[in-house]
Amino acid sequence: MTLAAFDIVSHFASFSREKTATIDLASGRRRTYPELHDRVGRVAAMLKERGIEKGDRVAFLALNSTDIIDIAFGCWRLGAVCLALNFRLTPHELNFIIDNAAAKAVIYDHMFTPIIDALKGMELPVEQWIGTDGMGGESEIENSLKAVTSPLMTMEPQTLDDQCMLMYSSGTTGMPKGVIITHGMIYFGVVAGGNAANGSPDDVTLSNMPLFHIGAFSGTCTPAIFGGGTTAVDRMFDPAKTLEYINDPELGISTMFMVPAAYNAIRA
């Protein structure tokens, strides 16, 4: 028997109503689980209104922000597949990935507009290009979310075997390969990683590694949400800011994931 995928945001919105779910360190935005529940519902409804259906690929090209959490869980609530794009790639490299994945929508950070303009001139299957500033300011995505009258508050029926995410390999030994990630892979990765790190709902996790990478996305953001804790997201890694964050008693950072080069930068 195949187990059903479940909506963890909806769950904690009911049982942890005062708990802070996300902190966007760059913009100062904070959301409780009920607020995240509504935001995710608005993302799902907005995508549905734009013709996105279960199984469609929705890509994001952006620096870190809590918007990425909203987008991913919004896709999953709708049954769409979230496609993570490496913002360090060239338009030519992104063109291959977007075309190969048959992405129907791309949500992009305004700072990458020149790259998006180049991609729009290529023959791609993308039907929706949706801009954001990643800071909650005036943008197409924020205006669209405000206009949503009926957020999608229940998850489309899915199983743990259903695909929920797509990430591409670096392509160092050939063309990049799409790596299929299922709801079950996300869930059991969280369970194994959470147990290893002794995670708890009291944790505040710092997410400052690129969220287009599975190590950061599945190593910080999703475990924090699935554990009913808090994830604090910064736009990008900065050694001085990282030290400031982990030494801030009001922020209360208790866990984080970084690569060796980042730890060496902090030590220096």
Side-chain angles (χ1 to χ4, degrees):
M1 181 178 68
T2 302
L3 297 176
F6 53 92
D7 193 330
I8 197 68
V9 172
S10 175
H11 170 79
F12 283 114
S14 298
F15 293 98
S16 302
R17 299 192 62 80
E18 303 301 320
K19 179 71 177 182
T20 299
T22 61
I23 303 171
D24 192 280
L25 294 168
S27 67
R29 290 175 293 170
R30 288 174 176 254
R31 291 196 178 92
T32 63
Y33 274 95
E35 290 170 338
L36 177 60
H37 183 34
D38 177 76
R39 175 84 170 182
V40 167
R42 289 179 178 278
V43 171
M46 180 270 293
L47 292 173
K48 189 173 183 177
E49 289 173 359
R50 289 171 177 259
I52 302 301
E53 301 176 344
K54 184 177 180 180
D56 287 340
R57 274 75 166 177
V58 177
F60 68 81
L61 180 70
L63 292 182
N64 287 0
S65 76
T66 54
D67 286 350
I68 292 175
I69 299 173
D70 306 335
I71 292 164
F73 281 92
C75 286
W76 300 348
R77 184 167 290 179
L78 182 59
V81 176
C82 186
L83 170 62
L85 297 176
N86 184 341
F87 56 70
R88 298 191 180 103
L89 298 181
T90 65
H92 174 75
E93 292 168 321
L94 289 169
N95 174 70
F96 171 80
I97 293 173
I98 294 170
D99 185 54
N100 185 258
K104 198 169 180 179
V106 175
I107 300 173
Y108 65 93
D109 201 312
H110 286 163
M111 68 178 301
F112 299 116
T113 297
I115 293 175
I116 295 298
D117 288 342
L119 289 170
K120 286 180 178 179
M122 302 175 182
E123 294 184 4
L124 288 170
V126 179
E127 297 177 7
Q128 300 286 336
W129 301 90
I130 309 169
T132 176
D133 70 347
M135 300 286 284
E138 184 75 15
S139 65
E140 183 179 357
I141 193 170
E142 292 299 328
N143 292 336
S144 296
L145 295 181
K146 290 175 184 176
V148 169
T149 57
S150 300
L152 185 62
M153 305 305 277
T154 56
M155 191 176 194
E156 290 292 320
Q158 296 161 74
T159 72
L160 291 184
D161 291 336
D162 283 331
Q163 182 181 354
C164 66
M165 199 148 196
L166 188 59
M167 291 185 174
Y168 273 72
S169 65
S170 63
T172 52
T173 58
M175 300 303 291
K177 308 296 190 299
V179 180
I180 293 173
I181 300 169
T182 66
H183 285 287
M185 292 167 69
I186 292 288
Y187 172 70
F188 290 112
V190 166
V191 171
N195 287 340
N198 296 317
S200 80
D202 296 325
D203 280 336
V204 179
T205 301
L206 177 62
S207 301
N208 61 356
M209 295 289 101
L211 292 179
F212 63 72
H213 193 281
I214 191 62
F217 185 85
S218 193
T220 55
C221 284
T222 47
I225 300 298
F226 272 76
T230 303
T231 181
V233 181
D234 202 16
R235 291 287 272 172
M236 62 179 66
F237 171 71
D238 179 277
K241 285 185 176 181
T242 300
L243 289 172
E244 178 185 331
Y245 295 144
I246 63 179
N247 283 290
D248 184 348
E250 293 187 6
L251 193 55
I253 298 295
S254 58
T255 63
M256 62 182 181
F257 163 82
M258 293 193 299
V259 297
Y263 283 107
N264 285 335
I266 289 177
R267 185 180 64 177

